Amino acid sequence: MFDALQHLSFWNWLAFGTLLLILEVFGAGGYLLWIGLAAAAVGLLTYLIPDLHWTLQFVLFGVLAILTAVYWWRRQRTAAKPSDQPGLNQRGSELLGRTFTLHEAISGGRGKIKAGDSLWLVSGPELPAGSQVRVIGQDGVLLKVDAVP
């Protein structure tokens, strides 16, 4: 085994890097990509410096793998910034604070309002049809309303 380690060539590192990149295709979330690139970088260094000792190759691989993983982690954290359009793809959030007329009376805590060309299920206090209500919240497709004085 030690004989095989002492004769590592750049082909071994490139094959290992390629294997990691192939495994990344099956959904590792980016982590094997950077470790595979670290293995390819060690393969390139081994090609440029053929007499590089095997222990130094493994140390370089470990350091490069850690550095690329930290780079990936930091990149992922900075890429997740809040949207400048927080209500995007949240149908109904544009109705918050608006006033509507009840289309169907609220009985048993449920009723309906008409907003534009859509009927929305609402929850709130018992009110007859035709009452004015203000949308105060949203729970999925259910709008929470309160009576307008």
Side-chain angles (χ1 to χ4, degrees), residues 99-103 105 113 126-134 147-148:
T99 302
F100 296 96
T101 304
L102 275 177
H103 186 69
I113 61 170
E126 303 282 325
L127 293 169
S131 300
Q132 293 290 314
V133 292
R134 177 172 287 117
V148 174

Side-chain angles (χ1 to χ4, degrees), residues 31 34-35 63-75:
Y31 295 103
W34 298 101
I35 296 173
V63 168
L64 286 174
I66 290 171
L67 287 176
T68 56
V70 168
Y71 168 75
W72 175 249
W73 178 73
R74 284 191 178 179
R75 184 170 180 254

Side-chain angles (χ1 to χ4, degrees), residues 34-59:
W34 298 101
I35 296 173
L37 290 177
V42 172
L44 179 66
L45 284 172
T46 306
Y47 178 75
L48 295 174
I49 310 169
D51 294 332
L52 197 60
H53 197 264
W54 69 272
T55 55
L56 188 56
Q57 291 177 27
F58 277 99
V59 169

Side-chain angles (χ1 to χ4, degrees), residues 4-63:
L5 289 177
Q6 291 175 357
H7 294 34
L8 280 176
S9 72
F10 69 96
W11 288 114
N12 299 109
W13 286 106
L14 292 178
F16 181 55
T18 303
L19 175 68
L20 289 172
L21 293 175
I22 289 171
L23 291 174
E24 173 62 35
V25 171
F26 294 110
Y31 295 103
L32 292 181
L33 168 73
W34 298 101
I35 296 173
L37 290 177
V42 172
L44 179 66
L45 284 172
T46 306
Y47 178 75
L48 295 174
I49 310 169
D51 294 332
L52 197 60
H53 197 264
W54 69 272
T55 55
L56 188 56
Q57 291 177 27
F58 277 99
V59 169
L60 280 171
F61 173 69
V63 168

